[in-house]
Amino acid sequence: MAKKKDDPRNKLIASNKKARHDYNIIDEYECGMVLMGTEVKSLRAGRASLVDGFAEVTGGEMWLHNVHIMEYAQGTWTNHAARRKRKLLLHKWEIDKLDQKLKETGYTLVPLSIYFKDGRAKLLLALAQGKKMHDKRQTLREKQDRRETDRAMAAVRRRQRA
């Protein structure tokens, strides 16, 4: 069965575009999140921000910090706190592997996106290393060169067709 792009069970909620600019992404992990009911309803409405988010290992468990999920508008006194820490669901061996990497200097865990997969909220978490300013400039330069090359190739193809 082919998946449809408009399938509500597979929907992107929030992405952290700046993370790919500020960090070298080394590895990516898909993990589940322990959420309250009002958080899920707020995510279904697309109300989340990953800008200041990071993850850490504490006591053999993975925790997500500083991810902002807006309070649910129709929530009552049972509504959640917007920036509370949330437990991430990963295999024990993945947590141990990430904990070893995080003990080395220069590595961090950055959330890249939150999305629904088959009706369940998932987080794409990246093991990343911070870029220096000259690395960011180099990445932008390469991206611009690639774009100019693609435009030139497209112009040549258009001329050949005409």
Side-chain angles (χ1 to χ4, degrees):
M1 183 169 108
K3 291 184 180 180
K4 295 180 184 177
K5 286 186 177 180
D6 299 335
D7 188 2
R9 294 168 49 98
N10 299 311
K11 176 185 169 189
L12 179 67
I13 294 149
S15 64
N16 189 354
K17 295 176 184 172
K18 192 167 173 120
R20 294 196 186 270
H21 176 72
D22 290 342
Y23 298 96
N24 286 322
I25 306 300
I26 295 165
D27 205 0
E28 295 179 355
Y29 297 89
E30 179 182 74
C31 52
M33 296 185 290
V34 177
L35 299 173
M36 296 174 62
T38 54
E39 288 175 316
V40 175
K41 290 181 179 193
S42 186
L43 286 176
R44 289 203 188 281
R47 312 278 302 218
S49 173
L50 300 172
V51 174
D52 294 328
F54 67 96
E56 69 176 359
V57 178
T58 306
E61 297 178 335
M62 186 70 68
W63 293 92
L64 181 66
H65 296 273
N66 287 349
V67 170
H68 189 267
I69 298 176
M70 293 279 292
E71 290 186 355
Y72 184 56
Q74 286 78 33
T76 58
W77 58 272
T78 59
N79 222 338
H80 64 278
R83 285 199 183 266
R84 73 179 188 91
K85 70 178 190 174
R86 295 164 178 90
K87 187 175 180 180
L88 298 178
L89 305 173
L90 288 164
H91 291 282
K92 183 69 176 165
W93 62 270
E94 288 176 318
I95 293 173
D96 292 340
K97 179 181 170 184
L98 288 171
D99 193 24
Q100 290 300 316
K101 276 294 197 183
L102 290 175
K103 288 179 181 172
E104 297 176 22
T105 53
Y107 289 100
T108 188
L109 289 171
V110 180
L112 296 179
S113 62
I114 296 178
Y115 54 93
F116 280 104
K117 182 178 180 181
D118 296 328
R120 297 183 188 267
K122 300 287 183 180
L123 176 81
L124 186 63
L125 190 66
L127 178 66
Q129 206 168 21
K131 284 185 183 178
K132 304 277 191 254
M133 184 56 87
H134 64 273
D135 292 336
K136 293 179 192 178
R137 288 189 197 119
Q138 181 66 28
T139 303
L140 288 174
R141 194 173 303 120
E142 289 170 1
K143 186 176 179 181
Q144 184 178 3
D145 292 344
R146 219 176 6 255
R147 190 177 299 135
E148 288 174 2
T149 304
D150 290 344
R151 285 180 184 158
M153 293 295 290
V156 167
R157 281 191 218 114
R158 277 194 300 266
R159 277 188 247 128
Q160 288 176 349
R161 283 187 217 143

